Amino acid sequence: MSLTYEEIKQQYTALQLTYDYMLERRDAITEFVRAQGKHSVTFIGCGSSYTLSASAAFSFRLRSGFPASALAGGDLLLNADAYAPLLRDTLLIAPSRSGSTSEIVEAVRLLKAQGGDDASVPVLALSCVEDSALSIIADFTLTLPWAFDHSVCQTRTVTNLYAANLMLAAFLGDDEAVITDIGVAIAQGEAYMSRVEASIRAASDYVWTNAVILADGELNGLAAEGAIALTEIAKVQAHAYHLLDVRHGPMVTIGPDTLVIAHLTNQGAEHQRKLMQDIRARGARIIAFGDATMTIGQPDVELAFTAASPLALPVQGIPFLFIPQIVALGSAERQGFNPDQPDGLTAWVKL
């Protein structure tokens, strides 16, 4: 059994710890953010952390009332002057597995040095390593050591950082429904993984070299994360798009060698059904996921999973992530790759 598989299967145990930890610090978090007096939020990350930042910025715009954006750490490091107007009145939030990625640490140091004591950009860090370089220079730090992935590719870590980011947005927007639903998703998690894993493996057990992940809204960043997991772990071409946007060019890449993983909703069902039919007509297989009210009939998709009970849209991302994780792992196993140590990758980048 690979370490990657163990960490995937342990993610809901870690999520419960993250959920409890965040709830315990709810008042301190909201007091810190409001005390900064900032009028926007900017997330920064690299690789998986950037995809999470994109989802988190979307969640903040929808749920907290804060205008929010996401920047890639390397982009910010190289082009800090160009982004000065964006960063002038913002709170910087940096989710990170290690808290040691060079682009993030150096970008934060650069911004603090440029700002000086009176105009420094305040930083809230989420790290899975205690006393990391990022944590030390941040103004407020949340630490999730139980979510740290020791394998090179992130699985358990991204699910936990996603949940933590979503809880931040929900805290600041007093979105009690989302907070409650995260707890429900965690409680259902072990049973969900046991119920769907074999079917996911069976549906993706064929010769495919191209993966397409489709999701909208807050889950689009998670679709990009799923594509990263497939690329890193299984060494396949993988891309993420908004659901209907796949018709705007990317459809030409879909064929019998393609596996499509789609998040579907109970809105615009006929448009989604027609899209699934068109994808199937091109020879691709589809694994779909949605909430408990979603109805997708065969033969439109190969497999359709739903949450055990209706969940708020962003919370559906937690069980959705399990699908590309298991697909990537199964593909690596079939190809004889070591999922724990992909050739040419390191757990985090140091420039």
Side-chain angles (χ1 to χ4, degrees), residues 13-314:
T13 299
L15 278 165
Q16 186 63 61
L17 294 173
T18 296
Y19 187 69
D20 295 341
Y21 173 86
M22 294 293 291
L23 286 177
E24 289 170 1
R25 286 154 181 79
R26 179 175 183 172
D27 289 345
I29 292 166
T30 55
E31 288 171 8
F32 167 76
V33 174
R34 288 168 180 156
Q36 306 313 305
K38 300 300 182 182
H39 295 94
S40 70
V41 173
T42 303
F43 285 84
I44 61 169
C46 296
S48 293
S49 292
Y50 174 69
T51 67
L52 294 174
S53 293
S55 279
F58 206 116
S59 293
F60 263 68
R61 291 194 296 271
L62 282 179
R63 305 183 188 283
S64 74
F66 280 88
S69 57
L71 290 173
D75 187 354
L76 179 58
L77 177 62
L78 295 177
N79 302 293
D81 290 344
Y83 298 127
L86 177 68
L87 302 170
R88 188 168 294 127
D89 190 30
T90 198
L91 168 67
L92 206 64
I93 301 181
S96 173
R97 167 172 52 178
S98 67
S100 296
T101 298
S102 292
E103 293 101 313
I104 301 300
V105 174
E106 293 307 316
V108 169
R109 286 178 176 156
L110 176 63
L111 291 176
K112 285 191 168 292
Q114 287 179 340
D117 293 337
D118 295 330
S120 179
V121 177
V123 177
L124 190 160
L126 293 97
S127 175
C128 298
V129 175
E130 294 179 345
D131 299 322
S132 68
L134 177 61
S135 300
I136 292 169
I137 60 176
D139 300 282
F140 190 98
T141 298
L142 298 166
T143 308
L144 318 174
W146 48 83
F148 183 82
D149 282 328
H150 294 275
S151 52
V152 169
C153 301
Q154 299 182 62
T155 52
R156 172 179 60 187
T157 293
V158 294
T159 311
N160 278 262
L161 288 175
Y162 175 77
N165 284 338
L166 183 56
M167 291 182 78
L168 288 176
F171 289 166
L172 293 167
D174 294 318
D175 194 333
E176 303 301 329
V178 164
I179 295 168
T180 298
D181 276 5
I182 293 172
V184 171
I186 293 169
Q188 296 174 353
E190 296 288 344
Y192 164 76
M193 289 191 297
S194 296
R195 177 169 61 88
V196 304
E197 180 180 347
S199 297
I200 293 170
R201 287 179 176 271
S204 58
D205 187 13
Y206 69 104
V207 179
W208 54 275
T209 58
N210 177 44
V212 172
I213 307 183
L214 304 175
D216 286 330
E218 290 156 282
L219 272 63
N220 183 256
L222 290 188
E225 162 53 29
I228 287 177
L230 285 157
T231 300
E232 291 181 340
I233 296 173
K235 298 184 182 180
V236 297
Q237 293 292 321
H239 302 279
Y241 306 102
H242 287 279
L243 198 71
L244 296 184
D245 258 16
V246 75
R247 293 189 183 281
H248 295 265
M251 187 70 87
V252 301
T253 69
I254 293 176
D257 64 343
T258 306
L259 174 66
V260 174
I261 301 171
H263 178 269
L264 306 178
T265 70
N266 57 5
Q267 302 294 317
E270 189 56 33
H271 290 297
Q272 294 179 93
R273 189 186 303 278
K274 184 63 166 62
L275 176 63
M276 297 300 103
Q277 291 173 346
D278 291 348
I279 289 172
R280 282 296 293 267
R282 297 182 67 86
R285 291 193 187 183
I286 305 169
I287 300 175
F289 179 88
D291 66 24
T293 61
M294 180 193 78
T295 56
I296 294 293
Q298 297 291 353
D300 297 337
V301 299
E302 188 74 18
L303 286 172
F305 300 119
T306 61
S309 60
L311 295 172
L313 180 63

Side-chain angles (χ1 to χ4, degrees), residues 327-342:
V327 167
L329 185 67
S331 178
E333 291 168 351
R334 286 194 303 276
Q335 297 179 76
F337 299 150
N338 179 0
D340 300 337
Q341 296 288 334

